[in-house]
Amino acid sequence: AQTVTQSQPEMSVQEAETVTLSCTYDTSENNYYLFWYKQPPSRQMILVIRQEAYKQQNATENRFSVNFQKAAKSFSLKISDSQLGDTAMYFCAFMKRASNYQLIWGAGTKLIIKP
Amino acid sequence: GAVVSQHPSWVICKSGTSVKIECRSLDFQATTMFWYRQFPKQSLMLMATSNEGSKATYEQGVEKDKFLINHASLTLSTLTVTSAHPEDSSFYICSAVQTSGGASETQYFGPGTRLLVL
């Protein structure tokens, strides 16, 4: 069975700093997706970034980028130039490709951006 | 694109009554939707998988007769909490899977429904 581990329950950084959230996973699958979702205080779950395991290139979305290390089963999220609006819970998730679309979730990291 | 709505956003009801929550994919068709429950400061707990035109698949420990799911069209799934009790009070979130386009096989989430049973 797949598992997703987020080892940082909470982090805080100053506005404009760069922060990296860690995520490791365990799977015997070779074909899968990895996701980062954010859940701000409104509790709306928002897709931040998506990585296809067969792609070696790390996914990026504006200030958000990932460091995908397939062999190490690591999928960290880097937020550059952090903003107050980045304050949220961040969840890492795994999905086996061409399956039932179910997500395996990490426990989440609470990120606080301080002014 | 990939917008999912959920209605109502919050509801207060009396114990013993039933509550229906709607989940709609607004700009894409979704043969598969999911229903989650989230407790404070925790991750999402999957309750069931809703498949258009067929019966929902419930996770272990979720009472199918209590949490009725209907996925009657490619854009709408409903969750009905029957005979609600205070322990059913929670935050319920739905998601819909986009299976075509650039971000296929991706779950997009509704804004959630806060249910309080008195």
Side-chain angles (χ1 to χ4, degrees):
Chain A
Q2 291 84 13
T3 58
V4 177
T5 302
Q6 293 179 252
S7 59
Q8 304 151 313
E10 185 170 326
M11 297 182 71
S12 66
V13 297
Q14 294 293 138
E15 190 177 9
E17 289 183 349
T18 294
V19 60
T20 299
L21 308 183
S22 66
C23 173
T24 58
Y25 59 96
D26 188 25
T27 185
S28 59
E29 301 291 335
N30 193 49
N31 216 353
Y32 51 87
Y33 298 101
L34 293 163
F35 303 86
W36 278 99
Y37 285 90
K38 69 180 277 189
Q39 189 178 37
S42 68
R43 302 187 79 175
Q44 164 80 64
M45 192 71 80
I46 301 165
L47 175 67
V48 175
I49 207 161
R50 172 178 178 270
Q51 175 79 42
E52 297 172 68
Y54 68 88
K55 289 186 176 180
Q56 292 186 346
Q57 186 173 9
N58 289 324
T60 62
E61 286 291 342
N62 301 313
R63 295 182 296 108
F64 299 87
S65 61
V66 297
N67 183 2
F68 174 46
Q69 301 290 328
K70 190 172 184 179
K73 297 179 183 175
S74 172
F75 183 61
S76 61
L77 175 70
K78 185 173 83 171
I79 306 173
S80 303
D81 186 27
S82 57
Q83 301 174 0
L84 296 179
D86 296 333
T87 293
M89 282 290 292
Y90 286 80
F91 293 97
C92 179
F94 171 100
M95 179 193 289
K96 179 182 172 182
R97 195 174 182 194
S99 64
N100 56 9
Y101 309 119
Q102 285 192 8
L103 288 167
I104 308 300
W105 296 90
T109 296
K110 183 177 181 180
L111 177 64
I112 300 170
I113 309 299
K114 296 180 288 186
Chain B
V3 179
V4 177
S5 70
Q6 197 170 332
H7 179 81
S9 56
W10 66 282
V11 58
I12 302 173
C13 69
K14 293 182 179 180
S15 185
T17 61
S18 294
V19 174
K20 179 185 283 189
I21 304 170
E22 292 187 349
C23 179
R24 293 180 185 273
S25 55
L26 298 185
D27 51 1
F28 65 100
Q29 294 184 330
T31 55
T32 303
M33 292 184 174
F34 294 95
W35 288 96
Y36 295 89
R37 186 170 177 176
Q38 187 178 33
F39 296 99
K41 299 183 180 181
Q42 292 188 22
S43 187
L44 301 184
M45 183 187 78
L46 179 64
M47 297 176 65
T49 303
S50 173
N51 297 297
E52 188 268 336
S54 64
K55 290 184 178 180
T57 304
Y58 291 82
E59 296 300 300
Q60 192 172 6
V62 177
E63 299 176 58
K64 60 180 68 175
D65 293 332
K66 181 168 187 61
F67 298 99
L68 300 179
I69 291 171
N70 185 281
H71 194 153
S73 79
L74 287 171
T75 59
L76 173 64
S77 175
T78 60
L79 169 69
T80 301
V81 183
T82 62
S83 186
H85 290 285
E87 58 266 29
D88 299 324
S89 298
S90 192
F91 188 65
Y92 294 88
I93 309 176
C94 73
S95 70
V97 180
Q98 185 173 37
T99 55
S100 62
S104 61
E105 298 190 80
T106 298
Q107 288 192 31
Y108 291 93
F109 288 81
T113 297
R114 291 169 176 79
L115 171 63
L116 177 61
V117 184
L118 302 176

